[in-house]
Amino acid sequence: MVFCTFLLKPFAEHTIFDALAIHLGVKYIFALTNSSNCDVIGEIPLISAHLNDMSQKWINKLYKAALDAHTYFVIKLIEEITKRETRLIQTLIKIAHQFEFEQLVYLAKPRISND
């Protein structure tokens, strides 16, 4: 007997694990992590002002890439941010990897131009 589960993007990790558990009959043991052991410096609450140093062209590209939910292009744009903005870069990359493109759209939307 063959079973199928269809997962639609964007999907959360737990969705994949749940589907695997159903079809493979596995059980997962999740470990709690101590936030001090994480390699992330710390997230910052994002506002449009965090993108003030970026060009209008860059903002428009980020907005378009986020609307298209295109992780590769979003990451490439994030790589253009000056390296001294470590916390901003890490937060944006985490958002992109978690497919939370709506957050990027709302971040860029107030600063986009229709040029």
Side-chain angles (χ1 to χ4, degrees), residues 44-57:
I44 54 175
L46 292 178
I47 57 173
S48 290
H50 285 113
L51 304 178
N52 282 347
D53 292 338
M54 304 311 294
S55 71
Q56 189 63 54
K57 184 177 179 180

Side-chain angles (χ1 to χ4, degrees), residues 33-43 86-87 90-91 94:
T33 58
N34 184 346
S35 61
S36 65
N37 292 336
C38 294
D39 59 345
V40 177
I41 292 174
E43 290 182 35
T86 307
R87 291 176 59 196
Q90 288 180 340
T91 302
K94 181 177 180 184

Side-chain angles (χ1 to χ4, degrees), residues 34-102:
N34 184 346
S35 61
S36 65
N37 292 336
C38 294
D39 59 345
V40 177
I41 292 174
E43 290 182 35
I44 54 175
L46 292 178
I47 57 173
S48 290
H50 285 113
L51 304 178
N52 282 347
D53 292 338
M54 304 311 294
S55 71
Q56 189 63 54
K57 184 177 179 180
W58 187 92
I59 298 288
N60 291 346
K61 286 181 181 179
L62 178 68
Y63 182 75
K64 172 81 169 98
L67 278 178
D68 293 342
H70 204 298
T71 306
Y72 175 79
F73 288 137
V74 169
I75 297 295
K76 284 297 183 192
L77 287 166
I78 293 169
E79 289 173 355
E80 294 178 19
I81 298 173
T82 180
K83 301 301 180 210
R84 71 175 183 267
E85 297 290 342
T86 307
R87 291 176 59 196
L88 175 62
I89 292 168
Q90 288 180 340
T91 302
L92 290 173
I93 287 175
K94 181 177 180 184
I95 289 169
H97 284 156
Q98 292 178 340
F99 305 106
E100 295 176 0
F101 296 106
E102 313 85 36

